[in-house]
Amino acid sequence: MALALLYQLVPSIPILLLLFLLLHTSLSLSAQPIHHYASQINQINLKISHLESILEESDKRLKERDVYLEDCENRMNELSEKIHHLQSALSTMKADSLHAERRDKELEEEVQLLWDTLRRNNFDLHM
């Protein structure tokens, strides 16, 4: 349990622990030349360097994706605001159109009344 907690706090420690265990199991306690140990340590250091560079590259790509997602979110918010504005303008236009249609109908009725009155007056004049 303490190892898991330590892993969460310092993620590089498990890599070092793994490398140590690999080194410990691969090296026998028999009398091997020191240069063999040094060679294995150099190989392990190369692997560590390689893994660190992979980690850095992954971290860089992750940060780039975060920036990209943030830009997408900002664009979505801007488009959402624009859509809301356009919907509001459309509602206003519809309301104005309905008002204009009502006014047009009222004017048509008034014109019809005036025509009716004009016809009656003409009829009355000719009689």
Side-chain angles (χ1 to χ4, degrees), residues 6-67:
L6 188 58
Y7 175 73
Q8 290 175 348
L9 295 175
V10 184
S12 63
I13 287 180
I15 293 172
L16 295 175
L17 183 60
L18 177 64
L19 292 174
F20 174 75
L21 291 174
L22 287 173
L23 179 65
H24 180 65
T25 56
S26 67
L27 297 177
S28 64
L29 295 177
S30 64
Q32 293 184 359
I34 300 258
H35 73 293
H36 178 71
Y37 294 124
S39 172
Q40 285 187 338
I41 289 173
N42 285 336
Q43 288 176 352
I44 291 171
N45 284 336
L46 288 173
K47 286 181 184 179
I48 289 172
S49 297
H50 177 70
L51 292 173
E52 285 175 342
S53 68
I54 290 173
L55 178 63
E56 288 173 7
E57 184 64 29
S58 297
D59 189 45
K60 178 183 171 188
R61 280 186 273 145
L62 182 62
K63 287 178 183 177
E64 289 171 354
R65 286 181 184 152
D66 283 344
V67 169

Side-chain angles (χ1 to χ4, degrees), residues 61-75:
R61 280 186 273 145
L62 182 62
K63 287 178 183 177
E64 289 171 354
R65 286 181 184 152
D66 283 344
V67 169
Y68 173 75
L69 290 175
E70 189 174 319
D71 289 344
C72 288
E73 186 176 344
N74 288 339
R75 277 187 261 142

Side-chain angles (χ1 to χ4, degrees), residues 65-87:
R65 286 181 184 152
D66 283 344
V67 169
Y68 173 75
L69 290 175
E70 189 174 319
D71 289 344
C72 288
E73 186 176 344
N74 288 339
R75 277 187 261 142
M76 286 179 9
N77 288 336
E78 289 171 4
L79 290 175
S80 177
E81 289 175 12
K82 191 172 186 176
I83 288 170
H84 179 69
H85 173 72
L86 291 172
Q87 285 175 334

